[in-house]
Amino acid sequence: MLALNLAFYLTVVENRKGYLASNVLLLFWLLCIIVTGIKFRTLVSDCPGGGSFATGIRGRLAEEGIVGARLALLFAVFALECAKKDSQIRLREDSHEKCPEEEANVFSIISFNWVTGLMRKGYAKPLTMDDLWQLRTDDRSSNVSASFAEAWDSELRKENSSLSKALAKAFGKQFYIAGIWKLINDTLGFMQPLLLRRMLLFVMSYDTPEPQPLYRGYTLACLMFVCSLLQTTVVQQYFHLCFRTGMNIRAALVTAIYQKSLRLSNSSRQDSTVGEIVNHMSIDAQRIQDLVSNLHSLWSGVFQIAVTLYLLHATMGWAIFVGLGVMILIIPLNAQLSLVMQTYQKKHMEYKDSRIKLMNELLNGIRVVKLYAWENTLLQKILTVRNEFELKMMKKMGYISSVQMFTWASTPFLVSLTNFSVYTLIMKKTLTTDVLFAAIALFNLLQFPLSMLPWVIGSCIEARVSIDRVYKFLTSAEVDPNAVITESRTPVSATSDATDKYALLVTDASYSWYKHSSPVISDINLALKKSCLLSVIGRVGSGKSSLMAALCGDLERTSGEVRIRGSVAFVPQQAWIMNDTLRANILFGSPYDPVFYRKTVEACCLLPDFSMLLGGDMTEIGERGINLSGGQKARISLARAVYARADVYLFDDPLSAVDAHVGRTIFDKVIGPRGLLADRARIFVTHQIQYLAQSTTILMLRDGKMVEQGNFQELMAKKTEVYQLMTEFGKEDHRRHHEGKTAGILMEIDGQQGATTGPSARRGSVHSIESVGTLRLSSTDGDNQGIDASKDTTTDDALKSKNSIIVEEDMRQGGVSKSVYWAYAKACSYKGVLMYIFSLVCSESALVGMSLWLTHWSRSNDGSSNGNHGAMYYISIYALLGIVFSLLTVFQSIVNTVYCGIRASRVLHEKMLRSILRSPIVFFDTTPMGRILNRFSKDQATIDEILPRTVAGYLLNLFPVIAILVVIMVSTPTLVFVIVPFSFLYMLLQRYYLATSREIRRLDSVSRSPVFAHFQETLGGISTIRAYRQQDRFIKGNAYRLDQNLRAFYPGIAGNRWLAFRLETLSSLIIFGTAFLSVLSLARHVAVDPGLVGLSLTYALNITQTLTWMVRNFTDVESNIVAVERLQEYVDLKPEASEINPANRPPQEWPAQGRVEFIDYETRYRPGLDLVLRGVNCSINPHEKIGICGRTGAGKSSLTLSLFRIIEAAKGQILVDGIDISTLGLYDVRSRFSIIPQDPVLFAGTIRFNLDPLGTRPDVDLWQALEDSYLKEYVSAMEGGLNAMVLEGGDNFSVGQRQLICLARALLRKTSLLVLDEATAAIDLETDALVQAIIRQKFRECTILTIAHRIDTVMDSDRIMVLDQGRVAEFDMPAALLADQSSIFYSLAKQSGNA
């Protein structure tokens, strides 16, 4: 007692110092309570030997008092240790958001009570990400991926590496522990049939002269309850460990896939398209995760079947071997079906990859698709892959799955049928109640593994295919680490080698884009010292960009070597911009140095842009830089390189997107001999030959080889090709025409940016786009400067809302609307749903009929001397019911999977796809592409594969539960007093849980989008990320987003266990109530039918598992139906105007003349924004050539976008040949006009498809268009000619060649109205001159509108339109405007040297 009092005191003291309970002490005190309780009960019961020292009544009472006091004190100490500690007592580094599981005591862990706080919070209000805990330290993706990386590296060193073995090595420990829990659970499961038989023998004994004592019945009832409760405890720990292991495996694989994508070689990137990699992350990783929770069921199923057969043998003798023979005969059939299913799965995933790849390309080029009116063409292309290949393969898989379901569903029936037949007909034994229901209970145990095995085998097949796909990806070729030898920067000493003075040394280097392909650059020799400028020139396709890629290490080294001393900064030809603040894009992970930062942005001519943006450099840049002009993106990319303070700079034609004046300023202040980078080694690819004279060295390339190399004076003195280039195109008049010198940064184009710049962005160029609080964080880790710096902004909330570019993803709250269920049912077809439910009712009725028929049979045998009389009659009826049940099972499987499931998948996908294509362009500007792809990959996969399965699982458990409750209440009427209140408790728990689980599932879905968006963004800038050696920072950014997603996923799996533990505990009470009431009836001398007791107990034992699976499946349905809800959001998007207006179709030859009239026209990019065009009134005559110029934000692109109705009129009209285009359908407008965008977009497919997607032109026309655009020779040399493949994104063509293909498209369309948006910016001067001549010749009968990025581009126009603040400020012939020295055009021309 003294020791206990001391323990009580010490526990109180320790509780004030710590916040964690001791699990060892808890278990110790619990065992003490149990032992002391037994002793106290012995004393109170006056059992012999209860006293130890007392001989009289007084001594016994004293001992009872002491033991009772000790028991009370033990309870007090135990309760105190269990009590919640003060959460304020923590170590300083501990977070208040720490996962409560890490602080939970053993009983809280067993009962999942640590989840209750979140459940309570979710029931009170809709959850947000801030309400969720942080991940456990061991579950964070950085730690998980480190464990996997170590195991994977070890596995790769083996001759036959295996991804499965690496996963097992990294995560096997807790998975194997889960297996031990599973073994214990299965062992406890076999105790119930044995206890059931004992209980039936006990009940049957009351029909004999010598009934068993009542305490035995009560003991059996208690043992059944304890056994069930232990099963519940063990199985929930098993599931929790399995799901957590699966979560860790998914996190490891997603991280590994992301990291691998940063190391892929060019060959591997073409083999693994963006669509495939997205599927690896979203579907393959998910399938492998899903398998983990059920993988133990493979050996467990075999174990359960073996033990069940053994117990059946003990019950029914050798008759069981006949049933075993039936099972063995079915195994080869299922094995063959599994092999077929695996083949189908591989094909299915290939088709899915193709579809996602097409979707990715469509979304990347959506602006071009709309401008060319190609929506229906690409729609049919995607639907062909979806409907003709993917869904047809799913239908085949559905039929195979149905056959598998038939074999597995009929197996328990066939086994029981053969067993009962042999037992009664051949062995001539009587089927009594105790034998029958013990056998039925065992058959029920047999049914679960047999019904689970097809699902598990199906999951294994899916996971096997996914593991093979991920393995192939993870072992694909990587960039050659020796492609470029990078050395540390060291000061040159007197004893240094001669090569030490070079910053870049290229020796006999030959590089190819792909392994085993011919080199694209050959025998390159360069030696570049610090402070030297090497200018690289050459015609389109000569290998300039390939040289840059080789120096970045992106190409395959064939021979020679490249050595770079120090760090590298790379400015690509097409600028890569992150969805982050402008400042974060420039800093790119470097520390913020205000002085050098100011110097950098000033040199890159960005200060005027900052002054125009209300948020300054803290303005949010939309995805792919949608709210920036081409020139702004180029200058930000350049500023990023300058701020990096690298040793070697690689510039791939960075000045092509800016006007000549700005280009000259940037060259002088940054690139040139007196610029910021004058003391660094620079390689400068350019088509602008005015800068060659200031270069240290000039290199001319042709066909990937060096043609000329030397300084400017040497090459000019030789009078070779560089001399000819300078004399022909270096004269002042040619330079003005082809190079242009526009009026500084304020005259830079704010124009329509082809495939990557959106109309909403045009307002973004003059309004602040504040960083908004969305789940899409910046492309750095959680502590990046961009987020911190955004705190400096003072713009009010209203302005933030008005100018936000990326719209936060909508997440509905509360219960899933019934309209979502009706939408899914409608997609399945009401007829199919009714057929499925009717077949379910019939099959369940047949199943219950089988049990009732067996009960009737056994009852007729009890007490009968001739138990086998009429056995064939009973067996025949039983067989008939079983056959009906089996046939209905396969029928409902076909209806669910093939008819309803695939129909819903087809209907919902097609509706969403059509809705996406019909959405206005502003939707794509404000919605990250990763978010849209998430709908088409993860959410669509949920509807295709998971939702039909979970709906079927719920209904397949719902009807048995109803049948079980009916049977139990009929056989044991008094149990209604237990079941009714328990039913209310079930519903209360379910409602309490669903309120939280729904929101967690939505948070999980929403938090996945940033993972995909960040991944998409990364893939677009891999070359830049590698060049700057920023891989680690982006990997941290991916890990942060993934952890955010896991924060939403983990509470979901923990919540499932929280609910399941409580539901199964209630189910255990139902088992106890059924058994206890049966014994109580016997105690009150009420007649009890052993057959009904056996039936009710058999069903009660089954209800625990069935009810738990029913509730679990219902929550899965609630969770997965969110995918339909998310698809429905996109189905209901507000569309553009109709494609065709049947009441007003234009004439076939419209527009024949090309007259364009703007009448009091006004427009804005979206509601709530200011007007971008105000009162525009102008008339453009037929065949007139109009140049459009003006300062940034003047409305130049808005004018052309209005012409194509990318943005709609707020007021006024646009007449083309006298027809108001707003009265026509969009297809009739866009298909009759042509545009050559600045940013060219090509689609994966053939050259023929890229030129003529509609397939309406003969080959002669296609070749003529290629010849006119100077591509015929190049295409003819390609394998397949017009059928030669264009890789994803047009990667096998240079940017200049892509622009020429866009020109060929325009030549083929032969419309009377053409818009040019700096269509030849990436083309060399010689080709540009030829192209301009072709345009003047081929389009001489067209009305041409040219957006002037460079003033010289429009100097030969018939008239010049000058826009200012959305109004037509000037509109006259160039000569007239130049004659008026007060005109805006004169000032622009004067500043650019044209006046």
Side-chain angles (χ1 to χ4, degrees), residues 968-984:
I968 290 175
M969 286 190 290
V970 168
S971 58
T972 313
T974 51
L975 201 61
V976 71
F977 299 107
V978 177
I979 289 177
V980 170
F982 275 25
S983 298
F984 283 110

Side-chain angles (χ1 to χ4, degrees), residues 148 242 256 272 322 324 402 510 626 895 897 1087 1308 1320:
F148 173 71
C242 283
S272 301
V322 181
L324 179 61
S402 298
S510 295
I626 61 167
V895 171
T897 308
L1308 283 168
T1320 58

Side-chain angles (χ1 to χ4, degrees), residues 2-16 73 77 80:
L2 288 174
L4 278 175
N5 279 292
L6 179 60
F8 182 81
Y9 171 74
L10 290 175
T11 302
V12 172
V13 172
E14 287 300 314
N15 275 5
R16 294 177 178 176
L73 198 56
V77 176
L80 195 61

Side-chain angles (χ1 to χ4, degrees), residues 66-97:
I66 292 171
V67 175
R70 191 194 320 173
L71 185 62
L73 198 56
L74 283 169
F75 268 114
V77 176
F78 180 74
L80 195 61
E81 189 65 35
C82 285
K84 190 175 180 180
K85 307 296 188 293
D86 185 0
S87 60
Q88 299 299 319
I89 308 170
R90 292 175 180 271
L91 296 174
R92 183 172 297 175
E93 62 269 20
D94 284 348
S95 167
H96 69 281
E97 295 178 332

Side-chain angles (χ1 to χ4, degrees), residues 1026-1098:
R1026 286 175 183 166
Y1028 285 88
R1029 300 168 195 170
Q1030 292 281 317
Q1031 293 96 321
D1032 289 343
R1033 188 168 68 93
F1034 277 80
I1035 287 170
K1036 288 179 182 177
N1038 176 70
Y1040 176 79
R1041 288 164 178 79
L1042 185 56
D1043 283 345
Q1044 290 296 98
N1045 176 236
L1046 296 180
R1047 277 183 64 200
F1049 177 79
Y1050 188 61
I1053 62 176
N1056 270 332
R1057 305 280 62 79
W1058 177 90
L1059 177 68
F1061 180 84
R1062 281 147 184 78
L1063 293 182
E1064 290 194 17
T1065 301
L1066 291 178
S1067 300
S1068 300
L1069 290 172
I1070 291 178
I1071 294 172
F1072 175 72
T1074 305
F1076 182 81
L1077 289 173
S1078 299
V1079 177
L1080 190 64
S1081 297
L1082 291 172
R1084 294 181 176 179
H1085 306 290
V1086 177
V1088 175
D1089 184 350
L1092 289 177
V1093 171
L1095 187 64
S1096 61
L1097 275 174
T1098 302

Side-chain angles (χ1 to χ4, degrees), residues 725-776:
L725 184 69
M726 291 300 299
T727 52
E728 184 175 353
F729 295 100
K731 297 176 183 177
E732 184 64 25
D733 55 339
H734 288 287
R735 186 162 63 250
R736 286 178 181 176
H737 182 73
H738 294 291
E739 298 153 19
K741 292 184 179 180
T742 18
I745 187 170
L746 293 179
M747 287 160 289
E748 188 177 314
I749 179 64
D750 181 24
Q752 192 260 344
Q753 295 298 318
T756 56
T757 308
S760 64
R762 303 284 71 79
R763 292 301 300 163
S765 295
V766 290
H767 285 289
S768 173
I769 316 297
E770 291 291 334
S771 294
V772 291
T774 70
L775 287 170
R776 295 191 77 259

Side-chain angles (χ1 to χ4, degrees), residues 1117-1135:
V1117 170
E1118 274 273 331
S1119 299
N1120 290 310
I1121 202 72
V1122 170
V1124 178
E1125 181 183 65
R1126 285 162 60 80
L1127 258 66
Q1128 200 65 34
E1129 288 175 16
Y1130 280 13
V1131 170
D1132 297 335
L1133 290 173
K1134 185 179 179 181

